[in-house]
Amino acid sequence: MTAKVARLRPVPTIAFEPEEGLRLRRSAGEAGLAKVQGAEDSRPHRPWPHDIYCVQMKAKVAVTLVDDLFSHVKALEDLYEIQIHDHLGLDELTFQIHQIREAAEALQPS
């Protein structure tokens, strides 16, 4: 069968089971558990605090930006045949931003 024929086949729909929560609660009751994750809603029991999530996303953006800056400085050095990397303090900035990212990931609840 070719890939073109496989793409023309209809994709089967996912069956919706409204009784799934009832089934999970019943199986939890039979096992002697009070609550089962996913029986009432699909959210985790301990969601991340919004502040921690924002700090972690900002740290990831900062790491991306500093990595991009580092590659641009390297390109400038190669293009103009100069050494400006040591004068900018880019290594210390990169180290500090990566430390901030690791600290933000450590705040993530387990």
Side-chain angles (χ1 to χ4, degrees), residues 60-78 84-95 97-98:
K60 286 183 180 184
V61 168
V63 166
T64 303
L65 291 174
V66 80
D67 288 343
D68 195 39
L69 176 67
F70 186 77
S71 68
H72 289 308
V73 168
K74 287 300 237 181
L76 281 173
E77 287 181 343
D78 293 342
I84 59 173
H85 179 79
D86 297 331
H87 302 291
L88 293 177
L90 205 58
D91 291 330
E92 182 63 27
L93 177 66
T94 304
F95 175 76
I97 288 179
H98 280 279

Side-chain angles (χ1 to χ4, degrees), residues 22-42:
L22 179 62
R23 186 189 64 77
L24 286 172
R25 285 191 296 277
R26 185 174 51 243
S27 65
E30 292 170 357
L33 302 174
K35 283 191 173 183
V36 172
Q37 184 174 356
E40 298 298 326
D41 56 10
S42 61

